Amino acid sequence: MGEAIERFFASLPARAPAVLRGPTRGRLQLDLTTGNRTEHWFLEIAPGTIQVSREQLPADAVFTISAELFEELVTGREAAMAAVLRNEATFSGNVVLFLMFRRFFPDPPGVRDPRESAREHVRRSA
């Protein structure tokens, strides 16, 4: 497994208070595949907190993706929703957990919040 993936999972608990603000809670299982091998990660998600474990636990949702593509997600070179829509990753179970979890992925390089772009346009027009 790549170093970027290890760093991503290690960073989740510290980033959770800023990312997980809603009332959603549950367990998300991530299955990262490489050939015939699958690595399992379990995330216990609650408002403002996330616990990362390799221990197999019952899950409310499962996100399955290749380790290679997951590394693209954690480095911002790909988008999680686009990968699911292209059928390069699958998701089953409580979709809200996936929607909350994808907030941890960085934006692709060069992507800006459209609200900030609009504010800049207004300032230039004034």
Side-chain angles (χ1 to χ4, degrees):
M1 177 160 326
E3 185 178 319
I5 293 174
E6 294 286 343
R7 279 195 316 265
F8 173 77
F9 282 118
S11 76
L12 294 180
R15 296 172 50 213
V19 175
L20 300 174
R21 296 183 179 191
T24 302
R25 63 178 59 242
R27 287 192 185 123
L28 175 62
Q29 175 180 324
L30 283 92
D31 292 341
L32 306 182
T33 63
T34 306
N36 293 332
R37 190 170 142 229
T38 302
E39 292 193 30
H40 306 283
W41 291 83
F42 295 86
L43 308 177
E44 181 83 34
I45 297 171
T49 66
I50 191 167
Q51 294 178 355
V52 179
S53 171
R54 299 299 296 270
E55 178 185 350
Q56 290 197 336
L57 302 166
D60 301 304
V62 179
F63 181 47
T64 304
I65 188 169
S66 73
E68 181 180 337
L69 182 54
F70 192 76
E71 188 161 331
E72 298 287 312
L73 297 181
V74 302
T75 56
R77 294 187 299 248
E78 281 288 345
M81 186 59 78
V84 170
L85 294 174
R86 289 190 309 260
N87 204 28
E88 294 175 344
T90 60
F91 184 81
S92 63
N94 184 346
V95 72
V96 174
L97 292 175
F98 172 70
L99 295 175
M100 294 293 287
F101 176 66
R102 73 186 180 125
R103 294 181 188 173
F104 284 101
F105 297 125
D107 291 327
V111 171
R112 296 179 34 183
D113 185 333
R115 294 171 293 191
E116 185 58 36
S117 298
R119 288 183 197 110
E120 284 181 19
H121 178 72
V122 168
R123 283 190 290 259
R124 283 187 297 223
S125 299

